[in-house]
Amino acid sequence: MKETYDLFLKTKYAGLVLGAGWESEGRFEQPGHDFITVSGTVGDEIYTRARKVFRDVLQSQDESIVRGCQIKRHYTRKESDAAELFLVLSPYQYGAAEEYGTWYTDAPLRPDCGIDRQELRILQISPFRSVIENKKNLTCALGSRQVGPMHYPFGKLTKRDLISLWGGETVISERFAELIERGRFGGGRIEPIWNTVSGARAFPALEETPTGTELIARAGSMGMKVSDREFWMWVESAEQLPAFEKALWEEKKVAEERRTAAPPSRRYLQLRVKSPPLAVAEQTVLVDPFIGGSQDHCKCELGEIYARVFSRLYVKRSTWDGSDICQTDLYFGGRQGLFRPFRRLMVSKRLFDLMNQEKIKKVQFEIVELV
Ligand SMILES: [Zn+2]
């Protein structure tokens, strides 16, 4: 395996890492940026010097010398042939299912948790004035989850077989879904997506579904109406949630039966992982080697979130039941706007081989180290 890097080195520290006269080597910062991009192989002379300068500057000035560092891993044929499990790297497509009416539960308040403890508050538009302050109502990023079908207009999905959305969901083409089913690849569950054409709706039409009608009647007997905020909190309670979820699936069915438009030419489905999560092993680097500290870390009974993985991914072999479709126990990313933390997707060698053979495009893989 070969690891290459792109280091986004702050221009003011370039001399310390690259030596005087670095500009004459044809290195320039992009307009509007305060860094230059330096590329090479991890462990080379520049990388080693950058690590040393990073430690010195962090200690003396409490500042990082880089804006970031991206590492790519390249494998030989022999290495991929011998691997058993692969981490799937699929690029985000712009957009979030939340924008089209997918229901996510409201995260309950959790004062000890919350990885985004601060928020920007706009005080004045013109001239613009804002303050960054501590959020009053802290919630856990893992406290909100998808209920019922995902809503997304198929026409807005890129023509790929595997897509990640901002909310962390995995969308697959009908072709890929058929390959997974035909090959009996286990560990995942494939669910239909509501091909929303009308755009986002604020609330589901529960009154149009049998289970929703029952829920409304039950709430009514307790003095709650659909227009009340308490009603929507009540349907998300542990006792009502299964019925609410059922009603959301019925709502999709009702809407589709009513639809007169021609069926879409390309169909998509949501791939959800159902196999037991694989434990990330301690060999995995979860702290940015060039920034330091544990940014965006959160741990509570709902789970544990880190910003991202900075090394090869190591998982404990004893936690893998051999499923073809799996995910990590840890979550990555954060809850910023439409972004949500997600578990990293992994596939078995057998599924990896099929994806290569069937040319599932724009997907990259890294070998997962089983320890
Ligand atoms: Zn939490």
Side-chain angles (χ1 to χ4, degrees):
M1 183 200 57
K2 188 175 150 191
E3 287 180 307
T4 56
Y5 65 85
D6 283 328
L7 195 60
F8 309 116
L9 181 63
K10 290 181 190 167
T11 314
K12 63 177 173 176
Y13 296 115
L16 285 177
V17 175
L18 303 168
W22 60 270
E23 283 146 309
S24 63
E25 294 164 20
R27 301 181 192 272
F28 300 103
E29 59 185 30
Q30 298 288 317
H33 291 291
D34 63 350
F35 63 85
I36 58 167
T37 306
V38 183
S39 307
T41 304
V42 172
D44 67 12
E45 202 184 321
I46 290 176
Y47 189 87
T48 310
R49 192 142 12 99
R51 289 286 301 144
K52 186 186 177 310
V53 174
F54 159 73
R55 284 190 293 265
D56 295 347
V57 172
L58 189 70
Q59 205 168 37
S60 60
Q61 293 166 60
D62 194 25
E63 192 190 329
S64 176
I65 62 164
V66 303
R67 284 272 169 238
C69 178
Q70 264 172 16
I71 291 179
K72 280 204 186 95
R73 300 182 176 84
H74 315 262
Y75 302 94
T76 62
R77 180 67 197 266
K78 207 173 150 196
E79 284 167 334
S80 331
D81 282 350
E84 295 167 79
L85 199 60
F86 294 82
L87 177 67
V88 178
L89 310 174
S90 64
Y92 277 126
Q93 120 132 29
Y94 285 91
E98 193 173 339
E99 294 177 295
Y100 300 102
T102 308
W103 192 272
Y104 295 87
T105 56
D106 253 343
L109 294 181
R110 202 168 284 265
D112 313 328
C113 197
I115 54 173
D116 317 310
R117 304 188 73 88
Q118 295 186 315
E119 64 188 345
L120 180 88
R121 188 156 68 91
I122 296 164
L123 300 172
Q124 195 177 299
I125 299 290
S126 179
F128 186 81
R129 277 203 316 128
S130 65
V131 283
I132 289 176
E133 55 186 28
N134 286 325
K135 280 186 193 167
K136 284 177 198 71
N137 302 322
L138 278 176
T139 58
C140 176
L142 302 177
S144 169
R145 65 175 190 89
Q146 181 190 342
V147 181
M150 179 199 283
H151 295 227
Y152 212 95
F154 291 172
K156 288 202 164 147
L157 287 164
T158 52
K159 288 183 182 158
R160 289 195 205 136
D161 292 302
L162 182 67
I163 301 162
S164 295
L165 294 176
W166 284 354
E169 302 90 350
T170 303
V171 172
I172 57 174
S173 66
E174 192 172 32
R175 173 178 94 98
F176 189 24
E178 280 168 6
L179 288 168
I180 291 174
E181 275 168 3
R182 210 180 307 144
R184 297 183 184 281
F185 293 97
R189 193 171 74 206
I190 294 168
E191 289 184 353
I193 296 175
W194 186 339
N195 176 24
T196 328
V197 282
S198 52
R201 306 151 317 145
F203 292 101
L206 290 186
E207 68 284 357
E208 292 178 8
T209 68
T211 308
T213 308
E214 274 170 41
L215 272 170
I216 293 169
R218 211 166 339 132
S221 69
M222 292 185 290
M224 275 184 289
K225 293 196 300 285
V226 180
S227 53
D228 298 340
R229 187 174 150 67
E230 298 90 77
F231 174 83
W232 298 101
M233 286 162 72
W234 176 76
V235 293
E236 287 185 359
S237 64
E239 308 80 70
Q240 313 307 330
L241 199 64
F244 179 50
E245 177 141 37
K246 191 170 171 219
L248 292 177
W249 282 102
E250 287 171 1
E251 189 202 11
K252 174 178 183 290
K253 196 162 163 259
V254 169
E256 280 168 357
E257 280 164 2
R258 205 183 287 157
R259 182 178 292 176
T260 49
S265 55
R266 279 178 69 88
R267 290 182 62 235
Y268 296 89
L269 298 113
Q270 182 176 9
L271 176 65
R272 306 187 80 163
V273 181
K274 289 295 148 196
S275 57
L278 272 61
V280 173
E282 53 277 9
Q283 288 92 329
T284 310
V285 178
L286 298 165
V287 170
D288 192 327
F290 278 104
I291 308 277
S294 55
Q295 319 86 11
D296 292 348
H297 176 242
C298 146
K299 185 179 184 178
C300 70
E301 69 270 29
L302 294 174
E304 191 168 6
I305 311 171
Y306 281 91
R308 58 189 182 96
V309 178
F310 297 95
S311 64
R312 286 186 270 174
L313 177 66
Y314 294 83
V315 305
K316 292 185 181 152
R317 182 185 286 278
S318 60
T319 57
W320 184 30
D321 67 357
S323 291
D324 298 297
I325 300 166
C326 342
Q327 62 187 1
T328 53
D329 60 344
L330 299 182
Y331 291 82
F332 297 94
R335 178 88 179 89
Q336 283 104 14
L338 296 165
F339 287 91
R340 291 165 182 274
F342 60 96
R343 291 173 145 162
R344 299 299 304 266
L345 179 67
M346 293 170 281
V347 295
S348 66
K349 174 72 164 61
R350 194 166 76 89
L351 185 48
F352 166 81
D353 285 341
L354 174 103
M355 289 169 77
N356 281 320
Q357 187 190 317
E358 293 292 336
K359 300 190 169 41
I360 303 294
K361 291 203 183 80
K362 300 274 183 196
V363 181
Q364 289 180 324
F365 300 93
E366 276 187 17
I367 293 172
V368 176
E369 307 289 336
L370 288 154
V371 293

